[in-house]
Amino acid sequence: MKPYLIAALLVAAAPAFAQQPPAPLPPVSPQVTALRDAALHDELAYDIVEGLTTEVGQRLAGTEAEARGREWAVRKLEALGFANVRIEPFDMPVWTRGPESAEILAPFSQKLVIAALGNSASTPSGGITGEVVGFDSLAALEAAPDAAVRGKIVFVSHAMPRTQDGSGYGFFGGPRRLGPSMASRKGAIAIVIRSIGTDYHRNPHTGVMMFAEGVKPIPAGALPLSDAEQLQRILKRGKAVTMRLTLVSQVSRGQSGNVIAEVPGRDPKLAPILVAGHLDSWDQGTGAVDDATGLAIVTAAAKRIMDSGRPLHTIRVVWFGAEEVGLFGGRSYQATHTEPHYAIAESDFGTGRVWKVDSRLGKERESEARSLQAALAPLGIVPGALDKADGSDIGPMLEAGVPGVTLNQDGTYYFDIHHTPDDTLDKVDREALRQNVAAWTAMLAVLSGGIQTDPKRAKRR
Amino acid sequence: MKPYLIAALLVAAAPAFAQQPPAPLPPVSPQVTALRDAALHDELAYDIVEGLTTEVGQRLAGTEAEARGREWAVRKLEALGFANVRIEPFDMPVWTRGPESAEILAPFSQKLVIAALGNSASTPSGGITGEVVGFDSLAALEAAPDAAVRGKIVFVSHAMPRTQDGSGYGFFGGPRRLGPSMASRKGAIAIVIRSIGTDYHRNPHTGVMMFAEGVKPIPAGALPLSDAEQLQRILKRGKAVTMRLTLVSQVSRGQSGNVIAEVPGRDPKLAPILVAGHLDSWDQGTGAVDDATGLAIVTAAAKRIMDSGRPLHTIRVVWFGAEEVGLFGGRSYQATHTEPHYAIAESDFGTGRVWKVDSRLGKERESEARSLQAALAPLGIVPGALDKADGSDIGPMLEAGVPGVTLNQDGTYYFDIHHTPDDTLDKVDREALRQNVAAWTAMLAVLSGGIQTDPKRAKRR
């Protein structure tokens, strides 16, 4: 039989063949292609990460270190030529870490590595001592009778896997976010958890938690995975385990702020595009991948648009303050900036390559969303959902219905570093950083409504 | 200020704190826990993969090799003690591979590695010679005028990234699935594509494609990534590139079949739970990870339930035939088995650990779905969607609304091996295989409605 007859027969035999991909995407304009591909040679993003982490270092929310970060940001953004550079300050409670240690006194005396969770209650400087009761999961703690927990130090484990999309962080983050309140309600004197992380380096993962209303705060800390498993093995020997736990901290009031800079659009009446990261970091590393890279990526992309001409829509770059401790910067911005936004997007997932684009621009802007997918596909970015967007600081605005884009970064290794002392410059993958800048540049080039290239006006505003 | 007052203040300041996980899941029964944890020591699944790939080897759909696979399956499933072991045969067209080679004649003479795509038209045994015209993407081919393509050999590239969820395969598989028809419509004499894969081994990735109705089939092959990039570099030198392409193949009629085995439920009036993989494989490797592992995982899990007692619902194990070449087995089953199914699920994504569970059991079975999530979480499996399920052979049944579960395997490295000569036993990760068996065992233990442990009845039916 002629081959094409056989083929026709095959098609007939499998009429709705399941693996058909969507139709090819629309063509990408030469302007977008050129901007995107030039950004693959970007040096600015790394320069920003290197500068901020070297000249400021850690930037715990509400502290003078974060304030130095804001000053650094203003100088940098002005030097880069952005317009309307300003700080929008806000007040906030500030939790700061003091001396911390953990030691098993019996049955096998040894020191463990530990870090307090944000908002942990403070122990006395000499620590507290108690018997440890262990649970393999938050569900096991919840099912335990109060009598099994009362007066003890609770340990809670979990089985968080690596995920590219970071989806393990929600459910398996439960021991950190819900465990302290649950343990306190049952009468525990403290809680230590297996770090919400995926690495076996000897680094504990901190992170914020909030005691539920009316619940008495107790000291709460995280052990590295290695130490958590050591504790589990010791507990499984069946003898009473005694721990001395020192988690000193203090609380005060302080100030944080959002740093804002703009690339003015040709039509100031049009809603701006907001691109963001967060300036604050946890206190143990230098906040290189959480989130100096995010700031750097969106700023470098906006700078590329600015240097190429004048976009139709204003591009607003926001370096949010106080994300880590409860999205204070995002909420402050949302309360102040009730004006419409054309689209909002945030980079806050480290240094991995962008692997998928999701967006939620609305039904009437679907062709724009598909143009965005087309512009990103050559960077190895999967066209994702058209009805979905997320982000941390921008989360509340997205929940309120503001159009958004998510350039999903590969998070396979993100939770190896996240909230640990290991979050330092050397973890930044420079090639992946450039791919990120190219993706964000392409996104801005597509969404900003066309860039008018007028060398005189483009040079410096 | 007392720490708990500060904490209350923090909660007030961030009332809808974004990172709250869902509430803890329901408790897991001791029966499910015991079955799940025992399965972490499973040896049967590896034994099945080892046996099938060693004693049968490759099992191209519709060939006598696949028929030997069915005989092997019947013997194995009977020896394991399953009930109602049978083959349900069906006829189908069969495409088989002949000699294949590719050579650049000018400007830089050299051989390339190539494999024909399934349903490729055959060249004469001496091959064809033509000028190569290259495109970076399917969109670029689509945008090209016919005159640029007519009479030439088309080359199409793409930028498929690694994805844990396999989502890159849909869109970036376009050059294989849509490219040949598109090239033929524009008058190309043949098409070669960058393999739909993510590895840089010197292995081409085959896979099926179907020429659209009325389109003249042309020879179609895939180059390894290394050879595709070599060809691109040569094309970018700007000189005319001439290729000799030999892709010999033949078509005939043949028979395939589904192998079915059961663990009879206590109530034969209740709808069965179907768990499946596919028996056929591509012809170049031994089909170890595509899909001997899938067969092995679901069979080992069903065997564990069988050996522990008698489930309420019948468990039906299906080893589908002829998946690779167009889901013939799944469609044949769907046409014959119009009876209701309690749930259907398929394992066909290699040897990676299960990292997320999705299900679509219906609103009224949400507590069952949450019990399933709870049983799987200790294995490091993220609770996923409650309104989503997918699968290859079972895809059409899912589309028709049958309740389903998807135990998503980590696909980060799946497309390194997929459809290549490298798909051999040594790629199987035995620890990950055990985690899969534990997940499927837990799933069956939860969904099968409770297992009645009666040693006499459970031993052998």
Side-chain angles (χ1 to χ4, degrees), chain A residues 5 49 101 128 146-147 153 160 196 200 211 224 235 266 371 387 440 452:
Chain A
L5 289 179
V49 179
S101 63
I128 58 174
D146 292 5
I153 297 173
M160 180 175 168
I196 310 304
Y200 280 85
F211 285 99
L235 284 163
R266 298 199 301 279
S371 290
D387 58 356
W440 283 80
Q452 203 173 68

Side-chain angles (χ1 to χ4, degrees), chain A residues 182-205:
Chain A
M182 201 182 282
S184 178
R185 279 201 191 94
K186 289 175 186 282
I189 59 169
I191 179 171
V192 298
I193 65 167
R194 177 183 169 108
S195 281
I196 310 304
T198 49
D199 65 298
Y200 280 85
H201 293 288
R202 203 81 189 274
N203 279 324
H205 295 240

Side-chain angles (χ1 to χ4, degrees), chain B residues 182-400:
Chain B
M182 200 181 282
S184 178
R185 279 200 191 94
K186 289 175 186 283
I189 60 169
I191 179 171
V192 297
I193 65 167
R194 177 183 170 109
S195 281
I196 309 304
T198 49
D199 65 298
Y200 279 84
H201 293 287
R202 203 79 189 275
N203 279 325
H205 295 240
T206 190
V208 78
M209 52 97 195
M210 310 262 176
F211 285 99
E213 206 168 335
V215 172
K216 182 189 167 192
I218 55 175
L223 304 170
L225 272 55
S226 43
D227 296 50
E229 293 184 4
Q230 175 80 332
L231 177 56
Q232 279 182 297
R233 282 188 298 272
I234 294 172
L235 285 163
K236 291 215 163 113
R237 297 295 199 268
K239 296 177 186 162
V241 177
T242 313
M243 179 184 281
R244 180 184 296 140
L245 188 64
T246 305
L247 294 173
V248 175
S249 59
Q250 58 180 23
V251 285
S252 60
R253 295 290 298 179
Q255 194 177 64
S256 180
N258 298 323
V259 183
I260 300 183
E262 290 179 341
V263 180
R266 299 199 299 280
D267 186 347
K269 292 190 303 297
L270 292 178
I273 301 170
L274 182 155
V275 293
H278 67 84
L279 177 61
D280 68 305
S281 75
W282 278 104
D283 53 337
Q284 297 169 304
T286 61
V289 305
D290 188 10
D291 177 34
T293 45
L295 303 172
I297 290 161
V298 305
T299 304
K303 165 80 169 157
R304 285 179 172 273
I305 301 295
M306 179 168 71
D307 288 351
S308 73
R310 196 151 183 197
L312 182 61
H313 288 264
T314 292
I315 296 168
R316 181 177 295 166
V317 177
V318 183
W319 293 21
F320 285 111
E323 186 270 352
E324 292 293 1
V325 295
L327 311 185
F328 290 93
R331 289 177 201 290
S332 169
Y333 181 91
Q334 183 182 31
T336 322
H337 291 274
T338 52
E339 69 270 21
H341 290 71
Y342 189 65
I344 61 179
E346 183 166 6
S347 176
D348 182 19
F349 207 51
T351 184
R353 292 171 63 89
V354 178
W355 68 278
K356 188 176 68 167
V357 54
D358 294 321
S359 62
R360 196 192 62 201
L361 298 177
K363 268 281 173 207
E364 69 289 359
R365 288 167 65 187
E366 195 168 308
S367 78
E368 193 180 359
R370 283 174 49 80
S371 290
L372 175 59
Q373 293 180 333
L376 296 174
L379 297 172
I381 298 173
V382 179
L386 296 180
D387 58 355
K388 203 174 107 176
D390 54 40
S392 50
D393 303 275
I394 64 169
M397 292 177 75
L398 290 169
E399 272 168 42

Side-chain angles (χ1 to χ4, degrees), chain A residues 145-168:
Chain A
D146 292 5
V149 170
R150 193 173 299 125
K152 293 183 179 162
I153 297 173
V154 162
F155 166 74
V156 185
S157 189
H158 62 83
M160 180 175 168
R162 288 187 186 285
T163 56
Q164 183 177 33
D165 63 3
S167 59

Side-chain angles (χ1 to χ4, degrees), chain B residues 46-77 87 259 278-288 290-292 295 319-320 423-425:
Chain B
Y46 185 81
D47 175 68
I48 291 172
V49 179
E50 195 265 358
L52 182 63
T53 58
T54 304
E55 297 166 21
V56 181
Q58 70 87 10
R59 306 169 295 283
L60 186 67
T63 66
E64 64 78 34
E66 195 198 19
R68 278 189 282 116
R70 286 192 293 282
E71 289 159 23
W72 191 95
V74 167
R75 283 197 307 275
K76 188 72 179 181
L77 292 163
I87 296 171
V259 183
H278 67 84
L279 177 61
D280 68 305
S281 75
W282 278 104
D283 53 337
Q284 297 169 304
T286 61
D290 188 10
D291 177 34
L295 303 172
W319 293 21
F320 285 111
D423 184 358
T424 51
L425 181 66

Side-chain angles (χ1 to χ4, degrees), chain A residues 1-11 13-27 93-95 119-122 138-139 142-143 159-165 167-174 176-178 182 208-217 251-253 323-328 331 354-356 373 376-383 391-392 395-396 399 410 412-413, chain B residues 1-11 13-27 93-95 119-122 138-139 142-143 159-165 167-174 176-178 182 208-217 251-253 323-328 331 354-356 373 376-383 391-392 395-396 399 410 412-413:
Chain A
M1 206 184 308
K2 294 245 175 75
Y4 61 89
L5 289 179
I6 289 288
L9 188 148
L10 280 168
V11 170
F17 185 54
Q19 296 181 329
Q20 291 292 352
L25 294 169
V94 180
W95 175 94
N119 297 326
S120 166
S122 184
L138 194 63
E142 190 181 44
M160 180 175 168
R162 288 187 186 285
T163 56
Q164 183 177 33
D165 63 3
S167 59
Y169 188 52
F171 175 75
F172 291 101
R176 187 184 92 207
R177 300 197 195 96
L178 302 179
M182 201 182 282
V208 77
M209 52 96 196
M210 309 264 177
F211 285 99
E213 207 168 334
V215 172
K216 181 188 168 191
V251 285
S252 59
R253 294 290 297 178
E323 186 270 351
E324 293 293 0
V325 295
L327 311 184
F328 290 93
R331 288 176 202 288
V354 179
W355 68 277
K356 188 176 68 167
Q373 293 179 333
L376 296 174
L379 297 172
I381 299 173
V382 178
S392 50
E399 272 169 43
D410 190 329
T412 307
Y413 302 104
Chain B
M1 204 184 308
K2 293 247 176 71
Y4 61 89
L5 289 178
I6 289 287
L9 186 151
L10 280 167
V11 169
F17 185 53
Q19 296 180 329
Q20 291 293 352
L25 294 169
V94 179
W95 176 94
N119 297 327
S120 167
S122 184
L138 195 63
E142 191 182 43
M160 180 173 167
R162 287 186 186 287
T163 56
Q164 184 177 33
D165 63 2
S167 59
Y169 188 52
F171 175 76
F172 291 102
R176 187 185 93 208
R177 300 199 195 95
L178 302 178
M182 200 181 282
V208 78
M209 52 97 195
M210 310 262 176
F211 285 99
E213 206 168 335
V215 172
K216 182 189 167 192
V251 285
S252 60
R253 295 290 298 179
E323 186 270 352
E324 292 293 1
V325 295
L327 311 185
F328 290 93
R331 289 177 201 290
V354 178
W355 68 278
K356 188 176 68 167
Q373 293 180 333
L376 296 174
L379 297 172
I381 298 173
V382 179
S392 50
E399 272 168 42
D410 189 330
T412 308
Y413 303 104

Side-chain angles (χ1 to χ4, degrees), chain B residues 68-114:
Chain B
R68 278 189 282 116
R70 286 192 293 282
E71 289 159 23
W72 191 95
V74 167
R75 283 197 307 275
K76 188 72 179 181
L77 292 163
E78 285 182 339
L80 290 171
F82 286 96
N84 309 325
V85 179
R86 63 201 186 271
I87 296 171
E88 296 184 348
F90 52 86
D91 293 334
M92 57 172 293
V94 179
W95 176 94
T96 49
R97 184 185 310 278
E100 49 198 10
S101 64
E103 188 174 1
I104 294 175
L105 303 177
F108 312 126
S109 170
Q110 59 195 287
K111 291 190 174 175
L112 299 177
V113 174
I114 195 163

